[in-house]
Amino acid sequence: AQSVTQPDIHITVSEGASLELRCNYSYGATPYLFWYVQSPGQGLQLLLKYFSGDTLVQGIKGFEAEFKRSQSSFNLRKPSVHWSDAAEYFCAVRDDKIIFGKGTRLHILP
Amino acid sequence: DTAVSQTPKYLVTQMGNDKSIKCEQNLGHDTMYWYKQDSKKFLKIMFSYNNKELIINETVPNRFSPKSPDKAHLNLHINSLELGDSAVYFCASSQDLGLADTQSYEQYFGPGTRLTVT
């Protein structure tokens, strides 16, 4: 069965530091991959998506993600985080429906 | 303008009661969804509707019954509420089912309804 694994439940980084959130997927064909962000008390918002083409995908809010087929990974990155980036981040893969990972909670130190 | 709205935002009720959550989208999308997010933030799809037709019906107790009166609305009715139903329920919509390579399947989420069953 298709699945998404986010190995880190919590990540803490200092404001201004770089960020990488890990995501591994299990999918037989070419995956359609997504990263969503959920701010406290809010619904999910799409950050970026990968369908095909360039494996480095640019998203909103300064985020990017790189699809690596050989590693079955789709890690999310940001060169310099802001306090407002503190949120829950979900990686997802599309099958006949979207399957979400269990999320990574990002904490930002001042 | 709110794209996907849900009412109520909070719902506190007792075991055994019947309650409904309403969802409306003004994006002109064809497909709508209900998700359940548990206390550990795990997000799982419950139902999806495309043009008022049920497409996905995951393993959900039949106490949960979605109803789509038109493309812009997908309501969730829950009978005989149980403690385990306490969660945040999210409605979402997308332009299409995303089954063709040309379709984006980007989903837009509502703000959620926090259901607490006591």
Side-chain angles (χ1 to χ4, degrees):
Chain A
Q2 282 62 261
S3 65
V4 175
T5 302
Q6 294 180 247
D8 304 305
I9 298 174
H10 295 273
I11 290 277
T12 301
V13 298
S14 298
E15 191 169 17
S18 63
L19 170 70
E20 183 168 29
L21 300 182
R22 296 185 291 165
C23 173
N24 294 98
Y25 66 89
S26 168
Y27 190 75
T30 300
Y32 285 14
L33 295 159
F34 307 83
W35 274 101
Y36 282 84
V37 61
Q38 183 181 22
S39 297
Q42 303 293 317
L44 278 70
Q45 181 184 22
L46 182 68
L47 285 175
L48 47 80
K49 59 191 177 190
Y50 170 78
F51 286 169
S52 63
D54 194 345
T55 56
L56 185 61
V57 180
Q58 301 298 319
I60 63 171
K61 305 185 181 190
F63 285 92
E64 66 178 27
E66 187 170 11
F67 170 62
K68 293 186 178 180
R69 185 187 299 276
S70 61
Q71 299 177 18
S72 297
S73 69
F74 188 57
N75 294 348
L76 182 71
R77 301 194 294 246
K78 187 170 184 178
S80 176
V81 297
H82 186 262
W83 64 266
S84 60
D85 293 325
E88 191 89 23
Y89 290 81
F90 293 92
C91 182
V93 65
R94 191 202 84 181
D95 187 7
D96 59 339
K97 56 186 178 289
I98 286 190
I99 299 168
F100 287 89
K102 294 191 175 182
T104 297
R105 172 68 62 88
L106 176 63
H107 304 270
I108 307 293
L109 296 175
Chain B
D1 283 344
T2 303
V4 182
S5 60
Q6 296 178 228
T7 53
K9 190 169 175 64
Y10 300 96
L11 184 54
V12 181
T13 188
Q14 292 183 328
M15 284 175 56
N17 285 348
D18 303 337
K19 291 293 179 185
S20 291
I21 307 172
K22 295 186 177 182
C23 178
E24 177 180 2
Q25 54 96 2
N26 62 7
L27 298 167
H29 286 169
D30 288 341
T31 309
M32 296 184 72
Y33 312 81
W34 277 110
Y35 287 87
K36 179 180 180 181
Q37 186 175 46
D38 63 24
S39 58
K40 295 185 178 179
K41 298 288 187 179
F42 183 51
L43 196 64
K44 193 170 190 301
I45 191 167
M46 300 172 70
F47 304 101
S48 78
Y49 270 73
N50 181 254
N51 283 316
K52 302 195 299 175
E53 182 181 341
L54 181 65
I55 301 298
I56 292 174
N57 184 353
E58 291 294 291
T59 308
V60 175
N62 57 15
R63 298 182 294 104
F64 290 79
S65 53
K67 284 189 172 49
S68 181
D70 54 59
K71 272 190 352 178
H73 296 85
L74 180 62
N75 304 324
L76 183 65
H77 188 75
I78 315 171
N79 289 327
S80 303
L81 278 155
E82 300 178 357
L83 293 177
D85 298 332
S86 295
V88 181
Y89 292 84
F90 287 100
C91 178
S93 73
S94 64
Q95 178 61 49
D96 46 55
L97 283 171
L99 296 178
D101 287 349
T102 55
Q103 295 179 333
S104 69
Y105 206 59
E106 177 176 346
Q107 295 189 9
Y108 293 78
F109 282 77
T113 296
R114 182 174 293 277
L115 171 64
T116 303
V117 182
T118 61

